[in-house]
């Protein structure tokens, strides 16, 4: 749609940091491409790519951050509630993942309060949480954490969850499902949120995380959010290439 040409390099095409250094890979890719969209595991990999690449590098996902998902979520909320989200409350119910990290950062920057519910041992990264608190102090947003899902959802305008079992954690499935008992987003949990509250999930969804009644309800903004991943990625790329004023 932007009129460019894509070069896709999957795991079988390129082994980052295996046969050559990340620095060498960054220098080569920057000569093939005007922009690099990197979906990696370790966050240090995308940081190193950006350090040595002469072309802009966009983090498409790392174990620590998922900024493009947050851009799509915030766009979706602005489409639903209006551009000014100040004073709205976002409740996270689930694992302290990369999706939560950027969602809480982005939310407080826009003046939204953040309620975080994670089981003990599944809390978000402490450094990113502290950065969130520091940013919230400047915007007036409120942030609090709990291990009880219903406490986080009470007073929320937006309820968000994500997978409980991320890539590479498949062997922990049974333990994690047990640890997240009581964290399913269902009608009973949504009833504790504010009237008119909406639901978001970055996909793919597993049934233990959210009931069909919520996932396919009018409260769900799943499908607009999925579409907005496309528009926000395109906008980010265009911005990094200097195509937007």
């Amino acid at each position: 749609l932007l009129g460019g040409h894509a070069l896709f390099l999957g795991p079988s095409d390129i082994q980052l940091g295996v046969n050559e250094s990340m620095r060498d890979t960054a220098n080569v890719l920057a000569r093939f491409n005007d922009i690099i969209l990197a979906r990696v595991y370790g966050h240090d990999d995308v940081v190193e790519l950006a350090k040595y690449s002469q072309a802009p590098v966009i983090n498409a996902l790392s174990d620590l951050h998922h900024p493009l998902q947050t851009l799509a979520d915030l766009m979706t909320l602005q489409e639903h509630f209006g551009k000014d989200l100040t004073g709205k409350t976002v409740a996270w119910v689930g694992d302290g993942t990369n999706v939560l990290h950027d969602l809480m950062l982005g939310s407080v920057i826009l003046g939204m309060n953040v309620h975080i519910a994670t089981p003990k041992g599944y809390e978000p990264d402490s450094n990113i949480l502290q950065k969130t608190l520091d940013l919230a102090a400047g915007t007036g947003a409120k942030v609090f954490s709990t291990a009880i899902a219903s406490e986080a959802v009470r007073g929320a305008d937006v309820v968000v969850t994500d997978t409980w079992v991320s890539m590479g954690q498949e062997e922990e499935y049974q333990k994690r499902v047990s640890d997240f008992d009581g964290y399913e987003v269902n009608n009973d949990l949504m009833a504790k949120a504010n009237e008119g509250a909406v639901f978001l999930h970055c996909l793919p969804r597993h049934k233990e995380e959210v009931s069909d009644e919520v996932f396919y309800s009018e409260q769900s903004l799943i499908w607009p959010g999925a579409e907005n991943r496309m528009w926000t990625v395109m906008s980010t790329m265009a911005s990094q290439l200097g195509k937007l004023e």
Side-chain angles (χ1 to χ4, degrees):
L1 290 176
L2 291 176
H5 302 278
L7 172 63
F8 175 76
L9 298 173
S12 62
D13 303 307
I14 185 171
Q15 297 177 341
L16 286 176
V18 176
N19 293 320
E20 66 180 2
S21 69
M22 199 68 66
R23 181 175 185 173
D24 292 352
T25 298
N27 276 297
V28 171
L29 290 179
R31 283 161 175 76
F32 292 168
N33 305 276
D34 296 296
I35 195 165
I36 299 171
L37 190 69
R39 188 178 178 97
V40 301
Y41 177 72
H43 186 69
D44 288 344
D45 288 347
V46 75
V47 171
E48 193 169 1
L49 280 174
K51 179 180 178 180
Y52 293 113
S53 173
Q54 298 301 308
V57 175
I58 297 173
N59 180 2
L61 176 144
S62 71
D63 61 345
L64 202 58
H65 290 288
H66 200 352
L68 296 178
Q69 181 63 50
T70 288
L71 288 178
D73 288 341
L74 295 179
M75 177 180 176
T76 304
L77 295 179
Q78 287 182 324
E79 287 178 335
H80 183 80
F81 290 115
K83 186 175 181 179
D84 186 3
L85 297 174
T86 304
K88 295 294 184 183
T89 296
V90 176
W92 177 272
V93 178
D95 195 4
T97 64
N98 51 0
V99 176
L100 169 59
H101 290 161
D102 286 331
L103 180 62
M104 61 188 187
L105 289 168
S107 294
V108 298
I109 287 173
L110 295 186
M112 288 191 286
N113 306 312
V114 178
H115 297 175
I116 304 164
T118 60
K120 293 185 183 303
Y122 294 91
E123 295 86 357
D125 180 89
S126 59
N127 291 326
I128 298 175
L129 179 58
Q130 185 58 56
K131 185 176 181 179
T132 301
L133 293 169
D134 293 343
L135 289 169
T139 63
K142 305 298 182 184
V143 180
F144 89 84
S145 301
T146 178
I148 302 173
S150 59
E151 287 184 358
V153 170
R154 191 172 295 114
D157 302 291
V158 186
V159 179
V160 191
T161 193
D162 186 18
T163 182
W164 298 345
V165 185
S166 298
M167 290 182 293
Q169 298 173 336
E170 290 81 6
E171 293 184 359
E172 303 174 26
Y173 177 83
Q174 293 299 335
K175 179 181 185 302
R176 283 175 167 265
V177 170
S178 176
D179 290 346
F180 282 90
D181 183 43
Y183 277 74
E184 180 193 47
V185 179
N186 50 37
N187 283 339
D188 289 341
L189 194 63
M190 290 296 295
K192 295 177 171 59
N194 287 342
E195 184 177 355
V198 298
F199 173 75
L200 287 171
H201 191 301
C202 73
L203 302 176
R205 161 253 188 168
H206 304 92
K207 287 198 172 183
E208 63 266 17
E209 299 152 5
V210 53
S211 68
D212 283 351
E213 289 75 18
V214 172
F215 191 76
Y216 295 110
S217 71
E218 293 184 359
Q219 292 176 286
S220 174
L221 299 182
I222 298 296
W223 312 124
E227 177 184 342
N228 286 337
R229 282 294 304 276
M230 176 176 64
W231 301 122
T232 49
V233 170
M234 288 170 61
S235 296
T236 302
M237 292 174 65
S239 175
Q240 291 299 304
L241 292 170
K243 302 298 184 181
L244 299 179
E245 296 182 358

